[in-house]
Amino acid sequence: GDSVTQMEGPVTLSEEAFLTINCTYTATGYPSLFWYVQYPGEGLQLLLKATKADDKGSNKGFEATYRKETTSFHLEKGSVQVSDSAVYFCALSGGGADGLTFGKGTHLIIQP
Amino acid sequence: KAGVTQTPRYLIKTRGQQVTLSCSPISGHRSVSWYQQTPGQGLQFLFEYFSETQRNKGNFPGRFSGRQFSNSRSEMNVSTLELGDSALYLCASSLYGTSGYNEQFFGPGTRLTVL
């Protein structure tokens, strides 16, 4: 069945550091890929998405490229801020399973 | 435009009881999906309703059920509560459903604690 694998962390970085959170997936068909962010006490917010191979999703300085050959959708940001501290979820839909299939989430902590 | 709202935000129940959670989608959205979030299992898809019909269902026992009303509001019911049902229950709405590139908009969740 469909699955998403990502590092769980916590990942601790200093402000202005470069961020990479790895995400790989297994799915049948041609899934769409998403990154969601969850701040403490809140629901999920869509950060960015990509719907086909080689698409790049971007938002608020975050980027991720849909790599079909490596089944990956790694999240990157050039310079993180304290306000980026949150849990980040990689997810897919449109594979073999119903609904969104999520990774376990990566807890990101940015220190000033 | 108002976002997805869920009520109540917090709930405490005891084993064996039943509980009903409510979700109001974004105006105009016809699809409502429910997810369970736990530290051990992460986020898992429960079911999706579209135009008052259950369209998809995840791998959960029959104790978990739901329905959708003509105004697209949805309720989720869990009967005979177990300790393992303690979780954050998230509702998401979208225009067309959970497949493909359709964006899901999530509510803040209902935190259920079973004692």
Side-chain angles (χ1 to χ4, degrees):
Chain A
D2 295 354
S3 67
V4 176
T5 302
Q6 61 179 113
M7 59 174 79
E8 292 185 37
V11 173
T12 304
L13 296 173
S14 298
E15 205 166 22
E16 300 183 4
F18 184 86
L19 169 70
T20 300
I21 301 178
N22 290 337
C23 169
T24 57
Y25 68 90
T26 302
T28 56
Y30 301 94
S32 294
L33 302 175
F34 306 85
W35 277 100
Y36 281 87
V37 58
Q38 186 175 36
Y39 297 101
E42 297 184 14
L44 301 174
Q45 298 176 26
L46 179 65
L47 183 58
L48 52 84
K49 67 179 181 182
T51 59
K52 61 182 188 297
D54 300 324
D55 264 3
K56 177 186 282 189
S58 61
N59 185 29
K60 299 180 181 179
F62 291 89
E63 293 184 338
T65 301
Y66 190 143
R67 301 287 188 200
K68 193 168 186 296
E69 63 277 12
T70 55
T71 61
S72 65
F73 193 54
H74 304 322
L75 182 68
E76 296 182 336
K77 186 175 185 183
S79 177
V80 293
Q81 306 299 312
V82 171
S83 57
D84 293 328
S85 299
V87 181
Y88 291 80
F89 292 90
C90 185
L92 68 83
S93 72
D98 294 322
L100 283 161
T101 298
F102 286 91
K104 293 285 191 181
T106 300
H107 186 193
L108 176 64
I109 300 169
I110 307 300
Q111 296 179 332
Chain B
K1 194 183 258 191
V4 178
T5 58
Q6 293 187 245
T7 56
R9 291 293 309 275
Y10 301 91
L11 210 46
I12 299 175
K13 293 286 187 180
T14 56
R15 277 183 300 174
Q17 288 187 310
Q18 75 165 17
V19 68
T20 299
L21 313 180
S22 181
C23 172
S24 292
I26 291 171
S27 178
H29 285 192
R30 296 163 64 190
S31 167
V32 173
S33 301
W34 290 88
Y35 294 82
Q36 181 195 63
Q37 185 178 20
T38 60
Q41 299 299 314
L43 279 151
Q44 294 183 286
F45 172 72
L46 280 155
F47 32 65
E48 178 205 0
Y49 285 85
F50 187 89
S51 294
E52 302 179 65
T53 302
Q54 186 180 87
R55 194 154 72 170
N56 297 304
K57 190 176 193 307
N59 189 24
F60 279 81
R63 300 186 297 107
F64 292 82
S65 63
R67 58 178 175 168
Q68 187 179 32
F69 303 94
S70 59
N71 61 358
S72 293
R73 189 177 69 86
S74 176
E75 289 182 345
M76 190 191 96
N77 185 274
V78 188
S79 62
T80 320
L81 283 165
E82 301 176 359
L83 294 178
D85 297 333
S86 294
L88 181 67
Y89 289 89
L90 292 165
C91 164
S93 78
S94 71
L95 275 171
Y96 303 116
T98 61
S99 63
Y101 55 83
N102 295 303
E103 183 174 346
Q104 307 284 307
F105 294 84
F106 283 82
T110 294
R111 172 75 62 185
L112 172 65
T113 302
V114 182
L115 302 177

